[in-house]
Amino acid sequence: MEFLHIDKSMEELRESFKSRRTRSVAWRKSQLKGLLRLLEEKEEEIFRALQEDIGKPRVEAYRDEVAVIKKSLDLSLACLEEWMASKKVRVPIIAFPTSGEVVPEPLGVVLIISSWNCPFGLSLDPLVGAIAAGNAAVVKPSELAPASSAFMANNLPNYLDNKAVKVIQGGVSVTEQLLDKKWDKILFTGSARVGRIVMTAAAKHLTPVILELGGKCPAIYDTLSSSMDTRVNLLKDQIKKSYGDNPREISMTRIINKHHFQRLRSILKDPKVAASVVHGGSMDEDNLFIEPTILMNPPLDSDIMTEEIFGPLLPIITLEKIEDSIEFISSRPQPLAIYVFTKNETLKKRVISETSSGSVTFNDCIIQYVLDTLPFGGVGQSGFGKYHGKFSFDAFSHEKAVLRRSFITEFSFGYPPWNDYKLRFIRAAFSFDYIALFLLFVGLKRS
Amino acid sequence: MNLGPKMPSSPQVFTGCLGQAGLPMIFFLGSPKGNYFLQPRLSLGQFPKFLAKSWAREGHAQEPQTRDSKRLLAVQLALGVSEKAKFDSVSAASMVEELRESFASGKSRSYEWRMSQIKMLLNMVEERESDIIKALQEDLSKPELESFISEISMTKASCKLVLKELKHWMKPEKAKTSLTTAASSAEIVSEPLGVVLVISTWNYPFLLSLDPVIGAIAAGNAVVLKPSEIAPATSSLLARFLTEYLDSSAIQVVEGSVSETTALLEQRWDKIFYTGNGKVGRIVMAAAAKHLTPVVLELGGKSPVIVDSNINLDVAAKRITVGKWASNNGQACIAPDYILTTKSFAPKLVDALKSTLENFFGEDPSQSKDLSRIVNYNHFTRLTKLLDEDKVSDKIVHGGQRDGKRLYIAPTILLDVPQDSLIMNDEIFGPLFPIITVDKLEESFDFINSKPKPLSAYLFTKDKMLEKEFVRRVSAGGLLINDTILQLTVDSLPFGGVGESGMGSYHGKFSFDAFSHKKAVMYRSFGGEAPVRYPPYTPQKLSLLKALFNGDIIGIILALIGRPRK
């Protein structure tokens, strides 16, 4: 049943794209406006779905998902014509009269596979880019966030052109079937392991991909005129302030499911790791709750220091000098983000030039996600490709080069049969040696 | 059983027999730098069959057997010797390891290093021009002028552009910040990816090897170049000169064919840049997927030329002829592959092309020194097969002559071959030019769009409306109006394909970008604290947050005084 349903959807999407309907400014704007209305009218339901899937508090749901998508929509609506316009490029005078430009065009039918931690944001933010660029699209939300996935499947068709934008729900087998088809681009957010599978499948059809993966994002926490203990206590205090004395009582995002709960629990089970816990550590499997936990110098070869944590455990590694953190980070796989809390300008410069990561943020966390003039994407094991803001539009566009010549000027030296005279002419042309060209042309220059 | 790649022009294998004892001995000569050795296919059991097949299609393995290669084979069989590839996975791994160390030392990141390497490269091209031309002559019978224009000048121009612009390219790009992320500045910093692999092809073996390498060096990477063994003279020239002129602790050349490439593809690279065909492109991307390595694939396709009747026929015929036959004799990724024109105009066009051909190459093109030959026997048989297909051979209206010994096929024009013929489905990559006629020229847009997206599409017309429709409706890597192949020379335009013709682009600054990671950097100060971001979350915080996001000053004030907007 699923098989037929996917094939039929693909056909419909290709038809829609072929009809050129998705290319018009009017269509793109109507879809973007439709999404905006969806977010406004259904905000409460979105919050509820996120609460159900992962226990995400409303402020986080707004700040990290709804607001981000809204911002993308507002920006795209405001800038769409500008982004769609072709851009003239400079062409050397020697080629006169020639004009060159780059024309952005949609790629065709694209696939967006998103992850469960930010189920709305990671599904719909890329979709904004896909639509703005004029493509037909399929969104495959994560099955690990079923309420969000169902919400999107049930509601998007009421606000968008559902012959050109579809939500296809499902797990591994549906994803496999989708990956078997020919797409014009795939944007995948998730783990490196699945990223490899996606790219291998894409290779069969020469489909370009964007892989938004993860990694271990380090935060370098400089002295800032306070001792180590002071800093750890500050952290503990802030946790208390944010979550109260009994964090289980207040609204805090849950662990997504039993599998991840058990994964995090087994990370802490390692005796050397357990011994390094200095705050928190309590867990409640029934409610999928893990307390904000701080660890002090767990062994560097333990899972907690080699695998991406993706949970509320924060190991602190202390070093002799803060500059040692640069070597520490650059000897490990490139992360999606590096955070540095410091006033030391030299350290800042060194981090930028001596480490590699998707992004670097000084004196804050996560906020780089919101600034859409910055590309969002990884490097190395944290992925490749980027989006957000105009980068989303570009991610789903082909920049077509267009060169125009006229019939007016003709130079015989450009044609065979070849001889020395023509060679001299061409040498001069390539060195932009206009004087030599002129002399050769009028027959005054012989060598 | 055959022996793999064709014998290199300079003797690298010496076989001798020890007189009466009849004991054959095999001596190997060759530099330790990785010049390839003849390898009997049998012993390389571990390399993937599919790769071997694809490479065979590329023309690697069906050369007429030379006397020496047959003798070597007999000797090896007698000895029961199985030849190990000189450059295998172990060598590849240790080469990458060395390059990673070199890159980690930071030397390739400095502006000075990059500039010095590019300067040396430019010196090399200028000082060794005659050697380069000779190698291209040997590999492809490429006329000197073609070599000069298309390979040497273009490479020099790329170097010069880098020398002029690199400082500017290396500067971080400021990014605008917003009210939501107050008290901060942001920029995008270009950094090298690390250790990259460039796999090049045989038709423009010099340019297509060095142009990407120039981009890789300009972006501060360490790089391995794997030139095509189908152009062996150029390959060994590149190996020799790059070692001589450049910093080999960061720039290496690996010669060879299937097994060397496989060994290279098994390693983890920070980027792979491949020029070639779609079959091998898929293999490269799948190998890259194992390590999550991003790729640029510069592939090919059937680049169509639409010819309107409203043109300057004389000039158009010249430009089309140059694009097709004076560019490596049609063996170019952007060479016009086939023509689309109206039924009524076709005869005039054919006549114009015929007379232009005669002006350029004389009455008997086989005597002209200005035509590249077909690169090897494998491609020769491939092309003659296209011509000899049933219902195709009778559509020849000009040319068709061939000479296998000299690897010559005459410039050939065909009229209205069947749409399901091989010649209309495979990329031709040779001097055969089919013309498909339509009733109305607009039909040609649908025709092109029904096929895989090509690397280029050309249109000859004076009609501005037709031009507009063409740009609007035809999708290809790049479009050119009223000329052919020139898009290669304008480095302010990205050069690359879409769909089946590839992914990614390069030339000019695009080369620098292709081998760079654009790192987002954001600076915040410790001022401008927004407690609204922190738990415990309250409805008031939510309203304030909303107002902040919308840059809604009034909303912010209202939220702050406790009377939030609804």
Side-chain angles (χ1 to χ4, degrees), chain A residues 43 90 105 196 204 352 356 360 373 400-401 404 410 418, chain B residues 145 176 191 282 290 319 467 471 474-475 479 492 519 546:
Chain A
E43 194 180 85
R90 273 189 56 215
E105 58 174 32
R196 286 186 183 88
K204 293 201 195 79
I352 294 178
S356 178
V360 181
T373 50
K400 185 165 72 181
R404 288 179 172 80
E410 252 321 272
W418 305 123
Chain B
L145 212 83
K176 271 173 59 193
E191 61 174 30
R282 282 170 169 81
K290 294 203 185 69
R319 292 179 180 177
E467 212 186 271
V471 174
V474 173
S475 182
L479 304 178
S492 50
K519 183 159 74 178
K546 285 191 182 182

PDB file of all heavy atoms in Angstrom, chain A residues 43 90 105 196 204 352 356 360 373 400-401 404 410 418, chain B residues 145 176 191 282 290 319 467 471 474-475 479 492 519 546:
ATOM      1  N   GLU A  43      -0.989  27.677  16.481  1.00  0.00           N
ATOM      2  CA  GLU A  43       0.140  27.718  17.405  1.00  0.00           C
ATOM      3  C   GLU A  43      -0.080  26.836  18.624  1.00  0.00           C
ATOM      4  O   GLU A  43       0.786  26.070  19.021  1.00  0.00           O
ATOM      5  CB  GLU A  43       0.391  29.161  17.841  1.00  0.00           C
ATOM      6  CG  GLU A  43       1.736  29.328  18.528  1.00  0.00           C
ATOM      7  CD  GLU A  43       1.975  30.766  18.947  1.00  0.00           C
ATOM      8  OE1 GLU A  43       1.507  31.142  20.046  1.00  0.00           O
ATOM      9  OE2 GLU A  43       2.620  31.496  18.185  1.00  0.00           O
ATOM     10  N   ARG A  90      30.391  40.638 -14.333  1.00  0.00           N
ATOM     11  CA  ARG A  90      31.307  41.393 -15.190  1.00  0.00           C
ATOM     12  C   ARG A  90      31.984  40.450 -16.163  1.00  0.00           C
ATOM     13  O   ARG A  90      32.427  39.368 -15.781  1.00  0.00           O
ATOM     14  CB  ARG A  90      32.362  42.080 -14.328  1.00  0.00           C
ATOM     15  CG  ARG A  90      31.926  43.448 -13.822  1.00  0.00           C
ATOM     16  CD  ARG A  90      33.077  44.167 -13.165  1.00  0.00           C
ATOM     17  NE  ARG A  90      34.208  44.287 -14.073  1.00  0.00           N
ATOM     18  CZ  ARG A  90      35.466  44.237 -13.688  1.00  0.00           C
ATOM     19  NH1 ARG A  90      35.774  44.059 -12.438  1.00  0.00           N
ATOM     20  NH2 ARG A  90      36.440  44.358 -14.566  1.00  0.00           N
ATOM     21  N   GLU A 105      17.353  29.033 -10.615  1.00  0.00           N
ATOM     22  CA  GLU A 105      16.146  28.303 -10.977  1.00  0.00           C
ATOM     23  C   GLU A 105      15.937  27.134 -10.017  1.00  0.00           C
ATOM     24  O   GLU A 105      16.883  26.651  -9.404  1.00  0.00           O
ATOM     25  CB  GLU A 105      16.199  27.828 -12.423  1.00  0.00           C
ATOM     26  CG  GLU A 105      17.358  26.938 -12.762  1.00  0.00           C
ATOM     27  CD  GLU A 105      17.270  26.383 -14.167  1.00  0.00           C
ATOM     28  OE1 GLU A 105      16.727  27.078 -15.060  1.00  0.00           O
ATOM     29  OE2 GLU A 105      17.741  25.252 -14.366  1.00  0.00           O
ATOM     30  N   ARG A 196      25.181   8.731   6.067  1.00  0.00           N
ATOM     31  CA  ARG A 196      25.905   7.940   5.077  1.00  0.00           C
ATOM     32  C   ARG A 196      24.945   7.170   4.181  1.00  0.00           C
ATOM     33  O   ARG A 196      25.146   7.070   2.972  1.00  0.00           O
ATOM     34  CB  ARG A 196      26.814   6.930   5.783  1.00  0.00           C
ATOM     35  CG  ARG A 196      28.020   7.546   6.402  1.00  0.00           C
ATOM     36  CD  ARG A 196      28.980   6.515   6.977  1.00  0.00           C
ATOM     37  NE  ARG A 196      30.068   7.202   7.617  1.00  0.00           N
ATOM     38  CZ  ARG A 196      30.075   7.597   8.866  1.00  0.00           C
ATOM     39  NH1 ARG A 196      29.070   7.307   9.647  1.00  0.00           N
ATOM     40  NH2 ARG A 196      31.106   8.269   9.354  1.00  0.00           N
ATOM     41  N   LYS A 204      23.225   7.058  -6.300  1.00  0.00           N
ATOM     42  CA  LYS A 204      22.695   6.263  -7.424  1.00  0.00           C
ATOM     43  C   LYS A 204      22.055   7.148  -8.473  1.00  0.00           C
ATOM     44  O   LYS A 204      22.023   6.814  -9.653  1.00  0.00           O
ATOM     45  CB  LYS A 204      21.661   5.243  -6.923  1.00  0.00           C
ATOM     46  CG  LYS A 204      22.238   4.160  -6.064  1.00  0.00           C
ATOM     47  CD  LYS A 204      21.331   2.931  -6.007  1.00  0.00           C
ATOM     48  CE  LYS A 204      21.733   2.013  -4.865  1.00  0.00           C
ATOM     49  NZ  LYS A 204      21.236   2.489  -3.553  1.00  0.00           N
ATOM     50  N   ILE A 352      39.409  30.784  16.053  1.00  0.00           N
ATOM     51  CA  ILE A 352      38.914  30.893  14.674  1.00  0.00           C
ATOM     52  C   ILE A 352      39.908  30.296  13.698  1.00  0.00           C
ATOM     53  O   ILE A 352      39.543  29.556  12.782  1.00  0.00           O
ATOM     54  CB  ILE A 352      38.648  32.364  14.303  1.00  0.00           C
ATOM     55  CG1 ILE A 352      37.513  32.906  15.149  1.00  0.00           C
ATOM     56  CG2 ILE A 352      38.282  32.483  12.825  1.00  0.00           C
ATOM     57  CD1 ILE A 352      37.209  34.353  14.885  1.00  0.00           C
ATOM     58  N   SER A 356      38.388  23.969  13.501  1.00  0.00           N
ATOM     59  CA  SER A 356      37.433  23.976  12.399  1.00  0.00           C
ATOM     60  C   SER A 356      36.098  23.466  12.916  1.00  0.00           C
ATOM     61  O   SER A 356      36.032  22.476  13.652  1.00  0.00           O
ATOM     62  CB  SER A 356      37.929  23.086  11.267  1.00  0.00           C
ATOM     63  OG  SER A 356      36.972  23.056  10.234  1.00  0.00           O
ATOM     64  N   VAL A 360      31.371  29.234  15.002  1.00  0.00           N
ATOM     65  CA  VAL A 360      31.968  29.590  16.291  1.00  0.00           C
ATOM     66  C   VAL A 360      31.138  30.725  16.872  1.00  0.00           C
ATOM     67  O   VAL A 360      30.819  31.679  16.159  1.00  0.00           O
ATOM     68  CB  VAL A 360      33.424  30.087  16.128  1.00  0.00           C
ATOM     69  CG1 VAL A 360      34.012  30.416  17.484  1.00  0.00           C
ATOM     70  CG2 VAL A 360      34.271  29.049  15.426  1.00  0.00           C
ATOM     71  N   THR A 373      21.570  35.667   8.762  1.00  0.00           N
ATOM     72  CA  THR A 373      22.547  36.122   7.780  1.00  0.00           C
ATOM     73  C   THR A 373      23.795  35.245   7.846  1.00  0.00           C
ATOM     74  O   THR A 373      24.745  35.449   7.083  1.00  0.00           O
ATOM     75  CB  THR A 373      22.952  37.585   8.031  1.00  0.00           C
ATOM     76  OG1 THR A 373      23.300  37.723   9.414  1.00  0.00           O
ATOM     77  CG2 THR A 373      21.803  38.520   7.700  1.00  0.00           C
ATOM     78  N   LYS A 400      22.088  29.066 -12.710  1.00  0.00           N
ATOM     79  CA  LYS A 400      22.360  28.802 -14.126  1.00  0.00           C
ATOM     80  C   LYS A 400      23.133  29.958 -14.721  1.00  0.00           C
ATOM     81  O   LYS A 400      22.710  31.105 -14.666  1.00  0.00           O
ATOM     82  CB  LYS A 400      21.004  28.632 -14.841  1.00  0.00           C
ATOM     83  CG  LYS A 400      21.094  28.234 -16.281  1.00  0.00           C
ATOM     84  CD  LYS A 400      19.754  27.731 -16.796  1.00  0.00           C
ATOM     85  CE  LYS A 400      18.744  28.869 -16.957  1.00  0.00           C
ATOM     86  NZ  LYS A 400      17.444  28.349 -17.440  1.00  0.00           N
ATOM     87  N   ALA A 401      24.286  29.649 -15.330  1.00  0.00           N
ATOM     88  CA  ALA A 401      25.102  30.680 -15.964  1.00  0.00           C
ATOM     89  C   ALA A 401      24.544  30.962 -17.357  1.00  0.00           C
ATOM     90  O   ALA A 401      24.229  30.044 -18.105  1.00  0.00           O
ATOM     91  CB  ALA A 401      26.542  30.212 -16.067  1.00  0.00           C
ATOM     92  N   ARG A 404      25.600  35.893 -23.203  1.00  0.00           N
ATOM     93  CA  ARG A 404      24.992  36.316 -24.460  1.00  0.00           C
ATOM     94  C   ARG A 404      26.034  36.997 -25.339  1.00  0.00           C
ATOM     95  O   ARG A 404      26.723  37.910 -24.893  1.00  0.00           O
ATOM     96  CB  ARG A 404      23.864  37.313 -24.190  1.00  0.00           C
ATOM     97  CG  ARG A 404      22.630  36.703 -23.595  1.00  0.00           C
ATOM     98  CD  ARG A 404      21.613  37.810 -23.351  1.00  0.00           C
ATOM     99  NE  ARG A 404      20.328  37.283 -22.941  1.00  0.00           N
ATOM    100  CZ  ARG A 404      20.033  36.893 -21.709  1.00  0.00           C
ATOM    101  NH1 ARG A 404      20.936  36.980 -20.770  1.00  0.00           N
ATOM    102  NH2 ARG A 404      18.840  36.403 -21.427  1.00  0.00           N
ATOM    103  N   GLU A 410      33.263  40.015 -35.197  1.00  0.00           N
ATOM    104  CA  GLU A 410      33.798  38.720 -35.581  1.00  0.00           C
ATOM    105  C   GLU A 410      35.298  38.851 -35.737  1.00  0.00           C
ATOM    106  O   GLU A 410      35.772  39.795 -36.353  1.00  0.00           O
ATOM    107  CB  GLU A 410      33.198  38.287 -36.930  1.00  0.00           C
ATOM    108  CG  GLU A 410      32.210  37.170 -36.794  1.00  0.00           C
ATOM    109  CD  GLU A 410      32.642  36.148 -35.766  1.00  0.00           C
ATOM    110  OE1 GLU A 410      33.364  35.203 -36.102  1.00  0.00           O
ATOM    111  OE2 GLU A 410      32.275  36.302 -34.578  1.00  0.00           O
ATOM    112  N   TRP A 418      44.924  27.133 -38.503  1.00  0.00           N
ATOM    113  CA  TRP A 418      45.758  27.895 -37.600  1.00  0.00           C
ATOM    114  C   TRP A 418      47.070  28.274 -38.252  1.00  0.00           C
ATOM    115  O   TRP A 418      47.606  27.560 -39.080  1.00  0.00           O
ATOM    116  CB  TRP A 418      46.047  27.072 -36.333  1.00  0.00           C
ATOM    117  CG  TRP A 418      44.817  26.582 -35.619  1.00  0.00           C
ATOM    118  CD1 TRP A 418      44.514  25.304 -35.320  1.00  0.00           C
ATOM    119  CD2 TRP A 418      43.731  27.375 -35.096  1.00  0.00           C
ATOM    120  NE1 TRP A 418      43.323  25.221 -34.649  1.00  0.00           N
ATOM    121  CE2 TRP A 418      42.812  26.494 -34.501  1.00  0.00           C
ATOM    122  CE3 TRP A 418      43.438  28.747 -35.087  1.00  0.00           C
ATOM    123  CZ2 TRP A 418      41.634  26.916 -33.889  1.00  0.00           C
ATOM    124  CZ3 TRP A 418      42.268  29.173 -34.478  1.00  0.00           C
ATOM    125  CH2 TRP A 418      41.375  28.262 -33.880  1.00  0.00           C
TER     126      TRP A 418
ATOM    127  N   LEU B 145      47.624  25.495 -31.518  1.00  0.00           N
ATOM    128  CA  LEU B 145      46.814  26.655 -31.166  1.00  0.00           C
ATOM    129  C   LEU B 145      45.714  26.282 -30.195  1.00  0.00           C
ATOM    130  O   LEU B 145      45.406  27.004 -29.257  1.00  0.00           O
ATOM    131  CB  LEU B 145      46.200  27.280 -32.415  1.00  0.00           C
ATOM    132  CG  LEU B 145      46.063  28.773 -32.231  1.00  0.00           C
ATOM    133  CD1 LEU B 145      47.357  29.447 -32.546  1.00  0.00           C
ATOM    134  CD2 LEU B 145      44.941  29.332 -33.042  1.00  0.00           C
ATOM    135  N   LYS B 176      25.221  40.866   8.468  1.00  0.00           N
ATOM    136  CA  LYS B 176      24.394  41.803   9.237  1.00  0.00           C
ATOM    137  C   LYS B 176      23.829  41.100  10.469  1.00  0.00           C
ATOM    138  O   LYS B 176      23.456  39.934  10.404  1.00  0.00           O
ATOM    139  CB  LYS B 176      23.234  42.294   8.378  1.00  0.00           C
ATOM    140  CG  LYS B 176      23.600  43.542   7.587  1.00  0.00           C
ATOM    141  CD  LYS B 176      22.523  43.930   6.602  1.00  0.00           C
ATOM    142  CE  LYS B 176      21.202  44.199   7.303  1.00  0.00           C
ATOM    143  NZ  LYS B 176      20.086  44.277   6.357  1.00  0.00           N
ATOM    144  N   GLU B 191      37.622  28.981   5.407  1.00  0.00           N
ATOM    145  CA  GLU B 191      38.783  28.210   5.847  1.00  0.00           C
ATOM    146  C   GLU B 191      38.959  26.994   4.944  1.00  0.00           C
ATOM    147  O   GLU B 191      38.002  26.501   4.353  1.00  0.00           O
ATOM    148  CB  GLU B 191      38.648  27.786   7.318  1.00  0.00           C
ATOM    149  CG  GLU B 191      37.467  26.917   7.621  1.00  0.00           C
ATOM    150  CD  GLU B 191      37.461  26.414   9.064  1.00  0.00           C
ATOM    151  OE1 GLU B 191      37.975  27.119   9.953  1.00  0.00           O
ATOM    152  OE2 GLU B 191      36.937  25.309   9.284  1.00  0.00           O
ATOM    153  N   ARG B 282      28.971   8.366 -10.099  1.00  0.00           N
ATOM    154  CA  ARG B 282      28.157   7.697  -9.075  1.00  0.00           C
ATOM    155  C   ARG B 282      29.049   6.896  -8.130  1.00  0.00           C
ATOM    156  O   ARG B 282      28.830   6.855  -6.920  1.00  0.00           O
ATOM    157  CB  ARG B 282      27.140   6.752  -9.732  1.00  0.00           C
ATOM    158  CG  ARG B 282      25.937   7.452 -10.303  1.00  0.00           C
ATOM    159  CD  ARG B 282      25.097   6.484 -11.152  1.00  0.00           C
ATOM    160  NE  ARG B 282      23.813   7.067 -11.496  1.00  0.00           N
ATOM    161  CZ  ARG B 282      23.616   7.927 -12.486  1.00  0.00           C
ATOM    162  NH1 ARG B 282      24.627   8.308 -13.234  1.00  0.00           N
ATOM    163  NH2 ARG B 282      22.411   8.404 -12.727  1.00  0.00           N
ATOM    164  N   LYS B 290      30.794   7.102   2.260  1.00  0.00           N
ATOM    165  CA  LYS B 290      31.257   6.323   3.420  1.00  0.00           C
ATOM    166  C   LYS B 290      31.948   7.210   4.442  1.00  0.00           C
ATOM    167  O   LYS B 290      31.929   6.935   5.639  1.00  0.00           O
ATOM    168  CB  LYS B 290      32.213   5.218   2.981  1.00  0.00           C
ATOM    169  CG  LYS B 290      31.565   4.149   2.136  1.00  0.00           C
ATOM    170  CD  LYS B 290      32.347   2.839   2.200  1.00  0.00           C
ATOM    171  CE  LYS B 290      31.748   1.818   1.247  1.00  0.00           C
ATOM    172  NZ  LYS B 290      31.943   2.164  -0.189  1.00  0.00           N
ATOM    173  N   ARG B 319      31.018  29.700 -35.661  1.00  0.00           N
ATOM    174  CA  ARG B 319      31.083  29.503 -34.213  1.00  0.00           C
ATOM    175  C   ARG B 319      30.680  28.094 -33.816  1.00  0.00           C
ATOM    176  O   ARG B 319      31.239  27.497 -32.900  1.00  0.00           O
ATOM    177  CB  ARG B 319      30.199  30.530 -33.509  1.00  0.00           C
ATOM    178  CG  ARG B 319      30.755  31.941 -33.641  1.00  0.00           C
ATOM    179  CD  ARG B 319      29.877  32.970 -32.979  1.00  0.00           C
ATOM    180  NE  ARG B 319      30.442  34.314 -33.119  1.00  0.00           N
ATOM    181  CZ  ARG B 319      29.857  35.415 -32.690  1.00  0.00           C
ATOM    182  NH1 ARG B 319      28.682  35.341 -32.066  1.00  0.00           N
ATOM    183  NH2 ARG B 319      30.424  36.591 -32.857  1.00  0.00           N
ATOM    184  N   GLU B 467      14.957  34.164 -27.319  1.00  0.00           N
ATOM    185  CA  GLU B 467      16.053  34.129 -26.351  1.00  0.00           C
ATOM    186  C   GLU B 467      15.508  34.075 -24.928  1.00  0.00           C
ATOM    187  O   GLU B 467      15.938  33.276 -24.103  1.00  0.00           O
ATOM    188  CB  GLU B 467      16.846  35.421 -26.528  1.00  0.00           C
ATOM    189  CG  GLU B 467      18.304  35.343 -26.268  1.00  0.00           C
ATOM    190  CD  GLU B 467      18.929  36.719 -26.346  1.00  0.00           C
ATOM    191  OE1 GLU B 467      19.328  37.115 -27.448  1.00  0.00           O
ATOM    192  OE2 GLU B 467      19.019  37.380 -25.285  1.00  0.00           O
ATOM    193  N   VAL B 471      15.959  31.020 -22.105  1.00  0.00           N
ATOM    194  CA  VAL B 471      16.532  31.153 -20.756  1.00  0.00           C
ATOM    195  C   VAL B 471      15.520  30.732 -19.702  1.00  0.00           C
ATOM    196  O   VAL B 471      15.851  30.115 -18.697  1.00  0.00           O
ATOM    197  CB  VAL B 471      17.015  32.599 -20.500  1.00  0.00           C
ATOM    198  CG1 VAL B 471      17.468  32.775 -19.061  1.00  0.00           C
ATOM    199  CG2 VAL B 471      18.144  32.950 -21.446  1.00  0.00           C
ATOM    200  N   VAL B 474      14.732  26.420 -20.555  1.00  0.00           N
ATOM    201  CA  VAL B 474      15.694  25.323 -20.687  1.00  0.00           C
ATOM    202  C   VAL B 474      16.613  25.282 -19.470  1.00  0.00           C
ATOM    203  O   VAL B 474      17.225  26.284 -19.105  1.00  0.00           O
ATOM    204  CB  VAL B 474      16.529  25.477 -21.972  1.00  0.00           C
ATOM    205  CG1 VAL B 474      17.628  24.434 -22.014  1.00  0.00           C
ATOM    206  CG2 VAL B 474      15.630  25.351 -23.190  1.00  0.00           C
ATOM    207  N   SER B 475      16.707  24.107 -18.835  1.00  0.00           N
ATOM    208  CA  SER B 475      17.584  23.981 -17.684  1.00  0.00           C
ATOM    209  C   SER B 475      18.846  23.229 -18.081  1.00  0.00           C
ATOM    210  O   SER B 475      18.793  22.164 -18.695  1.00  0.00           O
ATOM    211  CB  SER B 475      16.883  23.226 -16.555  1.00  0.00           C
ATOM    212  OG  SER B 475      17.729  23.155 -15.440  1.00  0.00           O
ATOM    213  N   LEU B 479      24.001  28.371 -20.069  1.00  0.00           N
ATOM    214  CA  LEU B 479      23.448  28.636 -21.402  1.00  0.00           C
ATOM    215  C   LEU B 479      24.327  29.641 -22.117  1.00  0.00           C
ATOM    216  O   LEU B 479      24.873  30.550 -21.492  1.00  0.00           O
ATOM    217  CB  LEU B 479      22.030  29.222 -21.293  1.00  0.00           C
ATOM    218  CG  LEU B 479      21.000  28.414 -20.513  1.00  0.00           C
ATOM    219  CD1 LEU B 479      19.676  29.178 -20.486  1.00  0.00           C
ATOM    220  CD2 LEU B 479      20.800  27.049 -21.114  1.00  0.00           C
ATOM    221  N   SER B 492      33.799  34.866 -14.165  1.00  0.00           N
ATOM    222  CA  SER B 492      32.851  35.422 -13.200  1.00  0.00           C
ATOM    223  C   SER B 492      31.559  34.622 -13.212  1.00  0.00           C
ATOM    224  O   SER B 492      30.631  34.901 -12.445  1.00  0.00           O
ATOM    225  CB  SER B 492      32.563  36.895 -13.535  1.00  0.00           C
ATOM    226  OG  SER B 492      32.241  37.014 -14.899  1.00  0.00           O
ATOM    227  N   LYS B 519      32.789  29.280   7.424  1.00  0.00           N
ATOM    228  CA  LYS B 519      32.514  29.128   8.847  1.00  0.00           C
ATOM    229  C   LYS B 519      31.787  30.360   9.362  1.00  0.00           C
ATOM    230  O   LYS B 519      32.252  31.494   9.196  1.00  0.00           O
ATOM    231  CB  LYS B 519      33.836  28.933   9.596  1.00  0.00           C
ATOM    232  CG  LYS B 519      33.683  28.690  11.073  1.00  0.00           C
ATOM    233  CD  LYS B 519      34.903  28.018  11.659  1.00  0.00           C
ATOM    234  CE  LYS B 519      36.083  28.959  11.804  1.00  0.00           C
ATOM    235  NZ  LYS B 519      37.225  28.255  12.426  1.00  0.00           N
ATOM    236  N   LYS B 546       8.275  36.866  21.887  1.00  0.00           N
ATOM    237  CA  LYS B 546       7.616  37.057  20.594  1.00  0.00           C
ATOM    238  C   LYS B 546       7.880  38.459  20.071  1.00  0.00           C
ATOM    239  O   LYS B 546       8.195  38.645  18.900  1.00  0.00           O
ATOM    240  CB  LYS B 546       6.107  36.839  20.728  1.00  0.00           C
ATOM    241  CG  LYS B 546       5.720  35.399  20.854  1.00  0.00           C
ATOM    242  CD  LYS B 546       4.209  35.215  20.705  1.00  0.00           C
ATOM    243  CE  LYS B 546       3.850  33.764  20.876  1.00  0.00           C
ATOM    244  NZ  LYS B 546       2.425  33.516  20.708  1.00  0.00           N
TER     245      LYS B 546
END
